């Protein structure tokens, strides 16, 4: 059960001048329509490009909003990299994801999800037909082709024996007795997005590529996942077999798994995570991420390579003050291509094995976070064979833009990136979008440079009259950037100058910058954010009497902290916040992680630290009308966090309201209608107190 939470726990909770324009938006007339809630349902974006083995075409997942099902759904489309020909390849009444070419390019493995669950399928481009690989009780994950294309490995959850202390009496025929009791005896009993957990763990399977019965290769109480094929037919898998594994939530190691016998041999053994293995094209080397666990809230990972046979790792990024994200081998096996967050920009970087100079391939990777402007994106690496057997590398990635969701871009050799799709011209080409400006301020604490972006309403003029919303990212170890974001566009379209920033603790600015909030969160990151607000007021971009603040998750923490530190905001909206670190450490889904790594002590060992860092300890200072919002099935920052702040404000007579979103997990804006409900309710709360809004409570109080 533990390994299902490791990734979630590690990602637990995103005036140097007048600022330069950094938007591709076109100019529109005064009567052009603005971005509305209806526009959200028209959005599309590209994700997960996969280059064909011959390097001349690719497939990708084209995602759109299903209005009737209120879901983001995907179909698989193809792109010819020479002609740009663009067509649907595989469609479904449900949703398709994760297309993967077979080694010889004659088949595509993909996932299909619908009302009957998930299905692993194989598509034949030559015939246009596909088939299901087999019957799965649980959804397969991370399916990968063997190098010879004859087998497929994947991981899937396997139920275990449910603990029980008593056998229930049999109910009489036709009786309507209550459901039987559920017994838990693990630390991790629930997961955000998964609810209360079944007993069991993820295990690794293999099955023939022509279909048949999956064969289970591992049987571990803690589980194994993320299989990758070695050239000789064995697998590299990831697991945590440490003693008391539940109390060591970030620990993981790489293991070699024999497909023939199921025998396991450990490849890494540091105290800390070794994860994300990818195998070189010739099957002789393994690249992976890892770090030595120093038990801190943020720890920067490095990229390692080791030979399969001798197992001696080499650190390729020891002198590189950024954390690589996803990695892939170059087609020639001489370098690794990695995604990297760097000062608000998603970048693609080539890292040579010989210790040579890193090369930046693209600086606009991202665009797949539709709601808020987080970093992220997907890429793939291939090569195309030219004349005289010469090959040219090809890179495909999701391209970030400030005025559009992700498109597919391709880099061939040393050429400039080419954008091959234009998915949103019909929805956004005629819309007056906000203009995005980038600027940097100096924090009053430590003189740290704080990067920020401001989205300006279509009718903006710097006359000091506009209301302002500062929108704070979660994480807190995450990064915002100048990418398209529906929530930001909604605020700006309604007339709010909307600013967002990367305060200390954000990723993309080096390890020391991120660790500024270690055992100090919330803390001086508040001062960073107030410096951003001060800058906009000083430049006459906004009215000092019409300032609003909001943020989600980690941003909800900083919002709740801000209204306890200052009364400068007219109203606030704290979304899915942490309010009390003691209840988080004892009852959130990543409880052990929060206690050991964020607080670095148990609540009874250092109650002063837990209390001083909890916004609840300062709630007596709050005078700002503050809205609380949380998903009813949020187990990352559970409902009782928001409810504690709400009740404390009510007891003091401070204007407040609580919004609970039925059926929603921590990702409360993952469905289009919920994204709109989130933003609409925040803006409705702000309008209630905005002195510039006719009939607002603030205006009436002034009269």
């Amino acid at each position: 059960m533990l390994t299902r939470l490791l990734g979630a726990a590690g990602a637990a909770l995103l005036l140097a001048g007048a600022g330069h324009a950094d938007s591709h938006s076109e100019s529109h007339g005064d009567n052009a329509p603005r971005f509305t809630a209806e526009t959200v349902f028209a959005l599309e974006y590209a994700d997960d490009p996969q280059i064909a083995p011959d390097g001349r075409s690719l497939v990708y997942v084209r995602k759109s909003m299903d209005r009737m099902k209120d879901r983001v759904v995907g179909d698989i489309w193809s792109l010819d990299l020479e002609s740009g020909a663009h067509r649907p390849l595989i469609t479904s009444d449900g949703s398709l994801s994760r297309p993967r070419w077979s080694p010889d390019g004659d088949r595509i493995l993909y996932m299909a999800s619908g009302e009957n669950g998930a299905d692993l399928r194989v598509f034949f481009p030559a015939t246009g037909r596909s088939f299901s690989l087999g019957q799965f009780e649980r959804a397969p994950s991370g399916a990968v082709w063997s190098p010879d294309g004859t087998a497929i490995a994947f991981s899937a959850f396997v139920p275990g024996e449910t603990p029980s202390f008593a056998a229930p009496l049999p109910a009489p025929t036709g009786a309507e007795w209550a459901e039987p009791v559920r017994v838990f005896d693990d630390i991790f009993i629930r997961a955000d997005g998964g609810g209360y957990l079944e007993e069991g763990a993820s295990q690794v399977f293999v099955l023939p590529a022509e279909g048949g019965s999956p064969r289970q290769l591992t049987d571990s109480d803690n589980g194994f996942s993320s299989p990758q094929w070695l050239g000789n037919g064995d697998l590299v898998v990831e697991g945590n077999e440490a003693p008391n594994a539940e109390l060591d939530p970030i620990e993981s190691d790489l293991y070699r798994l024999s497909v023939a016998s199921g025998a396991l041999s450990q490849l890494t053994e540091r105290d800390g995570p070794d994860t994300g293995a990818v195998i070189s094209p010739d099957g002789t080397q393994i690249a992976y991420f890892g770090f030595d666990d120093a038990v801190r809230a943020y720890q920067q990972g490095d990229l390692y390579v080791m030979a399969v046979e001798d197992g001696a790792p080499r650190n390729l990024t020891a002198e590189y003050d950024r954390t690589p994200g996803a990695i892939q081998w170059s087609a020639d096996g001489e370098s690794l291509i990695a995604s990297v967050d760097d000062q608000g920009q998603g970048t693609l970087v080539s890292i040579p094995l010989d210790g040579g100079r890193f090369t930046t391939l693209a600086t606009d990777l991202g665009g797949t976070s539709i709601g808020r402007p987080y970093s992220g994106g997907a890429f793939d690496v291939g090569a195309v064979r030219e004349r005289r057997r010469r090959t040219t590398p090809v890179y495909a990635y999701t391209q970030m833009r400030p005025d559009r969701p992700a498109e597919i871009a391709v880099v061939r050799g040393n050429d400039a990136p080419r954008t091959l799709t234009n998915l949103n011209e019909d929805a956004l080409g005629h819309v007056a979008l906000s203009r995005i400006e980038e600027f940097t301020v100096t924090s009053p604490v430590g003189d740290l440079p704080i990067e920020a972006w401001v989205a300006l309403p279509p009718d903006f003029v710097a006359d000091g009259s506009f209301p302002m919303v500062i929108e704070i990212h979660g994480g807190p170890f995450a990064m915002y950037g100048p990418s398209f974001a529906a929530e930001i566009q909604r605020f700006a379209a309604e007339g709010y100058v909307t600013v967002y920033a990367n305060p200390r603790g954000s990723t993309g600015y080096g390890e020391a910058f991120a660790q500024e909030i270690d055992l100090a969160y919330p803390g001086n990151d508040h001062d960073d954010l107030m410096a951003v607000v001060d800058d906009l007021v000083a430049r006459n971009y906004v009215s000092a009497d019409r300032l609003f603040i909001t943020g989600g998750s980690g941003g909800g923490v900083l919002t709740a902290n801000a209204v306890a530190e200052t009364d400068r905001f007219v109203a606030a909206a704290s979304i899915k916040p942490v309010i009390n670190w003691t209840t988080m450490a004892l009852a959130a889904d990543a409880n052990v992680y929060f206690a050991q790594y964020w607080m670095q002590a148990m609540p009874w060992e250092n109650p002063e630290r837990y209390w001083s860092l909890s916004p609840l300890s300062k709630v007596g200072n709050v005078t700002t009308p503050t809205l609380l919002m949380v998903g009813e099935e949020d187990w990352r920052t559970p409902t009782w966090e928001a409810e504690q702040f709400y009740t404390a404000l009510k007891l003091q007579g401070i204007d407040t309201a609580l919004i609970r979103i039925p059926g929603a997990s921590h990702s409360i804006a993952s469905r289009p209608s919920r994204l709109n409900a989130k933003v609409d309710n925040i803006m409705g709360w702000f309008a209630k107190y905005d002195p510039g809004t006719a009939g607002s409570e603030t205006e009436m109080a002034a009269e």
Side-chain angles (χ1 to χ4, degrees):
M1 210 180 290
L2 175 66
T3 54
R4 295 160 61 195
L5 290 171
L6 289 176
L13 290 175
L14 282 253
L15 180 71
H20 63 276
D22 191 23
S23 172
H24 301 163
S25 295
E26 299 177 1
S27 176
H28 296 276
D30 293 340
N31 295 324
R34 296 194 181 189
F35 192 93
T36 68
E38 282 293 325
T39 315
V40 170
F41 282 96
L43 297 178
E44 297 184 78
Y45 64 99
D47 200 3
D48 200 10
Q50 296 292 308
I51 300 172
D54 64 7
R56 300 187 182 281
S57 65
L58 64 78
V59 295
Y60 76 96
V61 181
R62 181 170 176 169
K63 293 189 174 180
S64 59
M65 311 297 170
D66 186 324
R67 178 183 289 270
M68 299 306 294
K69 295 180 180 179
D70 190 26
R71 300 280 186 184
V72 180
V73 297
D75 290 315
I76 297 172
W77 283 57
S78 70
L79 271 168
D80 186 284
L81 301 188
E82 295 292 335
S83 67
H86 186 209
R87 65 184 180 90
L89 191 66
I90 317 172
T91 61
S92 168
D93 290 336
S95 186
L96 308 179
S97 63
R98 211 174 182 280
R100 295 295 183 268
W101 292 94
S102 63
D104 59 6
D106 66 339
R107 291 159 292 170
I108 298 172
L109 178 70
Y110 68 99
M111 288 289 298
S113 301
E115 295 180 357
N116 297 322
D119 187 15
L120 192 60
R121 302 182 66 84
V122 172
F123 175 79
F124 290 82
T127 64
R129 299 178 67 86
S130 65
F131 76 99
S132 173
L133 280 169
Q135 298 295 317
F136 303 100
E137 293 184 16
R138 308 294 171 127
S141 176
V144 287
W145 291 95
S146 63
D148 61 6
T150 64
I152 292 164
F154 63 91
S155 60
F157 178 76
V158 175
E161 185 176 347
T162 301
S164 175
F165 305 115
L169 290 172
T173 303
E176 296 181 359
W177 284 21
E179 292 185 12
V181 300
R182 297 182 65 183
V183 179
F184 300 92
D185 61 3
D186 296 314
I187 292 176
F188 296 106
I189 64 172
R190 53 186 168 239
D192 188 62
Y196 282 86
L197 300 175
E198 289 184 77
E199 190 71 26
S202 172
Q203 306 296 348
V204 174
F205 294 78
V206 66
L207 82 162
E210 295 181 352
S213 299
R215 179 163 61 94
Q216 184 175 332
L217 299 179
T218 62
D219 185 12
S220 164
D221 289 342
N222 299 323
F224 288 96
S225 63
S226 307
Q228 295 289 313
W229 289 91
L230 290 170
N232 64 358
D234 287 350
L235 294 166
V236 173
V237 298
E238 182 180 325
N240 181 359
E241 293 294 278
N244 298 317
E246 282 196 316
L247 296 176
D248 201 354
I250 72 166
E251 175 67 23
S252 62
D253 283 300
L254 302 179
Y255 294 79
R256 185 170 181 166
L257 172 63
S258 169
V259 174
S261 68
L264 283 162
S265 58
Q266 192 167 338
L267 297 173
T268 62
E269 53 185 22
R270 82 164 90 228
D271 181 13
D274 291 310
T275 184
V278 291
I279 314 302
S280 63
D282 63 5
T284 64
Q285 298 186 86
I286 305 170
Y288 62 97
F289 300 108
F291 60 82
D292 296 319
D293 188 5
V295 193
R296 303 188 69 171
Y298 177 82
Q299 301 181 75
Q300 189 152 289
D302 281 312
L303 175 57
Y304 292 83
V305 171
M306 68 178 179
V308 173
E309 296 308 322
D310 66 30
R314 289 190 298 125
N315 188 343
L316 301 183
T317 56
E319 305 302 320
Y320 186 54
D321 195 20
R322 297 290 186 270
T323 296
I327 52 171
Q328 290 192 37
W329 287 87
S330 62
D332 59 13
E334 296 181 0
S335 62
L336 287 153
I337 313 303
S339 60
V340 177
D341 286 350
D342 186 20
Q343 300 185 68
Q345 300 289 141
T347 63
L348 272 185
V349 178
S350 176
I351 302 173
L353 298 187
D354 62 7
R357 183 178 178 180
F358 291 15
T359 302
T360 298
L361 304 174
T363 59
D364 53 357
L365 170 70
T368 57
S369 176
I370 293 298
R372 297 196 279 166
Y374 282 112
S375 61
F379 71 95
D380 194 32
V381 176
V384 61
R385 186 175 296 277
E386 311 282 7
R387 297 177 181 177
R388 299 179 182 178
R389 298 185 179 180
R390 183 174 64 89
T391 60
T392 300
V394 180
Y395 315 102
Y397 65 96
T398 58
Q399 185 180 54
M400 175 187 72
R401 290 175 53 178
D403 62 342
R404 296 290 189 274
E407 304 286 358
I408 295 294
V410 172
V411 177
R412 180 167 174 164
N414 296 320
D415 295 345
R418 291 186 300 131
T419 306
L420 298 185
T421 59
N422 189 14
L423 303 181
N424 286 281
E425 191 61 24
D426 56 337
L428 300 177
H430 62 292
V431 174
L433 297 175
S434 68
R435 188 174 82 253
I436 309 295
E437 291 184 1
E438 180 182 337
F439 64 103
T440 301
V441 302
T442 300
S443 174
V445 179
D447 293 330
L448 295 179
I450 305 300
E451 194 168 20
W453 294 264
V454 59
L456 302 173
D459 59 348
F460 173 76
V461 290
D463 62 1
S465 68
F466 279 76
M468 184 215 74
V469 171
I470 181 167
E471 207 285 336
I472 310 169
H473 74 61
F477 305 110
M479 183 185 81
Y480 271 169
S483 62
F484 178 90
E487 293 184 33
I488 300 299
Q489 289 291 340
R490 288 286 323 275
F491 285 131
E494 294 296 328
Y496 293 95
V497 171
T498 307
V499 64
Y500 52 100
N502 287 331
R504 69 189 67 203
S506 302
T507 54
Y509 301 87
E511 186 172 28
F513 188 87
Q515 288 184 346
E516 279 281 332
I517 63 170
D518 192 57
L519 295 180
Y521 171 71
N524 293 330
D525 35 7
H526 170 78
D527 301 281
D528 302 341
L529 295 168
M530 294 309 102
V532 170
V533 176
D534 291 341
D535 178 82
L536 293 180
V537 173
R539 281 195 275 157
N540 218 32
Y541 270 36
V542 300
S543 167
D545 298 323
R546 303 180 70 191
L547 304 178
F548 302 90
I549 186 169
T550 189
S553 194
V557 177
L558 289 173
T559 298
N561 179 72
V563 295
E565 295 284 348
T566 178
D567 61 359
R568 72 187 305 184
F569 295 103
V570 179
S574 178
I575 313 301
K576 53 187 182 184
V578 177
I579 295 301
N580 184 339
W581 282 109
T582 296
T583 51
M584 279 292 290
L586 296 179
D589 66 348
N591 43 30
V592 175
Y593 179 78
F594 290 129
Q596 290 188 2
Y597 289 85
W598 286 40
M599 295 292 111
Q600 297 169 25
M602 295 299 160
W604 50 91
E605 296 171 341
N606 196 335
E608 294 83 5
R609 176 181 297 166
Y610 275 80
W611 183 242
S612 66
L613 293 175
S614 297
L616 190 60
S617 70
K618 307 175 185 178
V619 71
N621 301 333
V622 178
T623 60
T624 303
T626 302
L627 173 72
L628 283 303
M629 186 185 299
V630 67
E632 290 190 345
E633 297 180 12
D634 186 337
W635 298 119
R636 181 60 38 80
T637 57
T639 54
W640 49 76
E641 293 297 314
E643 288 171 358
Q644 288 177 75
F645 210 68
Y646 167 76
T647 302
L649 293 177
K650 279 291 187 184
L651 290 172
Q652 298 176 87
I654 306 301
D655 283 0
T656 184
L658 173 67
I659 296 177
R660 293 167 55 102
I661 302 178
S665 67
H666 194 62
S667 301
I668 61 174
S670 61
R671 300 179 70 169
S673 69
R674 288 178 181 160
L675 186 155
N676 286 329
K678 173 189 173 184
V679 178
D680 286 343
N681 278 281
I682 291 172
M683 289 192 295
W685 180 256
F686 290 170
K688 181 179 179 182
Y689 298 97
D690 185 357
T693 301
S696 71
E697 291 195 7
T698 304
E699 182 195 55
M700 290 187 290
E703 294 176 351

